[in-house]
Amino acid sequence: MALAITIESLTRNSGLPPLETRMLIGQILKVSRSWMIAHDREPLTDEQVVQIRALIERRLGGEPMAYIMGEREFMGLTFETSPAALIPRPETELLVETAIDYVRENPRANVLDLGTGTGVIAVSIARFCPGALVLATDKSPDALALARRNAEKHRTAQVRFLESDWFEGIPPQAFDLIVANPPYIRRHDPHLQQGDLRFEPPMALTDYSDGLAAIRRIIAGSRSYLASGGQMWIEHGWDQAEHVRYMLAKVGFTQVESRNDLSGIERISGGCFTI
Ligand code: GLN
């Protein structure tokens, strides 16, 4: 059967959005969506249709597109994704853009990305700021392996990796910039049982507490790891900005502020550290 007819009938039968059906077909055929448009009379083999149906079943079971496809765009770059780490989200680009602004002013900055997951934050900073030296840490060896593959993919040799539970395994040193997208969802938040989140590593989503436990640890530890004049920026939940600003100010950060993501939500907070 020709490609166009197969797409049509699979979409109708599955109820998936046509874009998703096309993406899944592209995954099996190993071709781009534009190729499919130009070759819509190309016949598919029975075996290909069986493989496509298997992916559609996974998607209908709720598995995130990013895990089925094995990749996701972030900052205009393509990153490998896997259930070892959180799926990169567009709002996290705000954290990276803020970090890039800092590093453009301080081109040789020593940057720390705590809980790197897929590595998108560390690798994007390194990719856009070649003079920066970045240390990316994670508690999960599987996440670190994934982050390493993403660094190789984007040829960012200036990113180093270290297995560490927040600051616990990091040798004493002074960073100019610390960034983190820690788990910040409250333990019983119903969102954890919904959508893509059901398939993501719980450790990357929730602190199994009030949502601020990881952020608290990061803020408490940061003072011993920041150079004077350095900055720290943390991503957090939609209702946590005020609390995070308060905690930052309390341990001595100055110029503490929050910034809005594209949905107008206060998504990151940070400040300067002066000894
Ligand atoms: N931003 C994610 C969400 O709300 C949570 C990720 C995190 O805890 N860092 O789905």
Side-chain angles (χ1 to χ4, degrees):
M1 224 191 323
L3 184 55
I5 300 167
T6 310
I7 293 175
E8 222 279 305
S9 84
L10 287 174
T11 303
R12 191 159 14 86
N13 294 335
S14 66
L16 284 185
L19 173 66
E20 291 191 1
T21 314
R22 284 170 195 275
M23 286 169 77
L24 297 176
I25 294 174
Q27 174 80 340
I28 295 300
L29 302 187
K30 303 201 171 26
V31 296
S32 66
R33 275 177 281 141
S34 49
W35 186 95
M36 285 191 262
I37 292 165
H39 299 82
D40 67 350
R41 287 166 189 220
E42 199 82 2
L44 295 186
T45 65
D46 288 350
E47 197 194 329
Q48 284 169 332
V49 175
V50 168
Q51 289 174 328
I52 293 163
R53 283 221 174 91
L55 292 194
I56 290 176
E57 281 308 312
R58 283 170 62 186
R59 181 62 188 138
L60 290 174
E63 201 174 321
M65 282 302 283
Y67 288 159
I68 301 176
M69 300 296 292
E71 59 182 36
R72 174 58 46 100
E73 295 267 316
F74 182 84
M75 295 293 294
L77 306 169
T78 304
F79 287 93
E80 182 184 333
T81 47
S82 92
L86 203 72
I87 299 165
R89 288 156 164 70
E91 58 267 29
T92 303
E93 292 186 358
L94 174 65
L95 183 67
V96 173
E97 282 160 6
T98 303
I100 290 173
D101 285 346
Y102 177 88
V103 181
R104 292 228 160 109
E105 299 281 308
N106 306 272
R108 301 251 157 246
N110 192 18
V111 181
L112 172 63
D113 172 24
L114 288 167
T116 196
T118 47
V120 292
I121 297 172
V123 173
S124 301
I125 294 171
R127 183 65 199 264
F128 291 106
C129 307
L133 191 63
V134 186
L135 177 64
T137 69
D138 208 285
K139 192 164 111 173
S140 153
D142 290 344
L144 273 184
L146 173 66
R148 271 204 180 90
R149 290 199 295 278
N150 277 318
E152 273 159 30
K153 182 180 171 108
H154 293 290
R155 302 182 191 285
T156 49
Q158 76 276 39
V159 184
R160 294 158 302 148
F161 296 90
L162 181 71
E163 193 177 318
S164 173
D165 183 5
W166 305 127
F167 290 102
E168 256 157 53
I170 307 177
Q173 59 194 293
F175 293 96
D176 303 300
L177 175 67
I178 298 177
V179 287
N181 175 19
Y184 53 71
I185 302 179
R186 275 176 211 90
R187 183 157 101 162
H188 295 300
D189 190 317
H191 289 105
L192 293 167
Q193 314 304 330
Q194 293 165 15
D196 288 358
L197 277 67
R198 291 168 298 162
F199 292 83
E200 294 181 293
M203 182 179 103
L205 290 166
T206 179
D207 59 355
Y208 299 96
S209 174
D210 64 350
L212 290 164
I215 293 176
R216 235 177 250 122
R217 274 185 68 190
I218 291 170
I219 293 177
S222 64
R223 298 162 36 112
S224 333
Y225 283 91
L226 270 169
S228 186
Q231 290 190 9
M232 179 164 74
W233 289 92
I234 301 175
E235 181 178 319
H236 51 66
W238 64 276
D239 58 351
Q240 293 171 333
E242 198 182 333
H243 210 123
V244 176
R245 286 196 303 271
Y246 172 81
M247 291 192 284
L248 285 166
K250 207 171 150 201
V251 299
F253 280 85
T254 58
Q255 297 171 53
V256 171
E257 58 169 310
S258 301
R259 294 193 181 162
N260 289 2
D261 65 17
L262 291 173
S263 320
I265 292 167
E266 286 185 315
R267 181 58 66 189
I268 64 169
S269 296
C272 298
F273 185 74
T274 323
I275 294 166

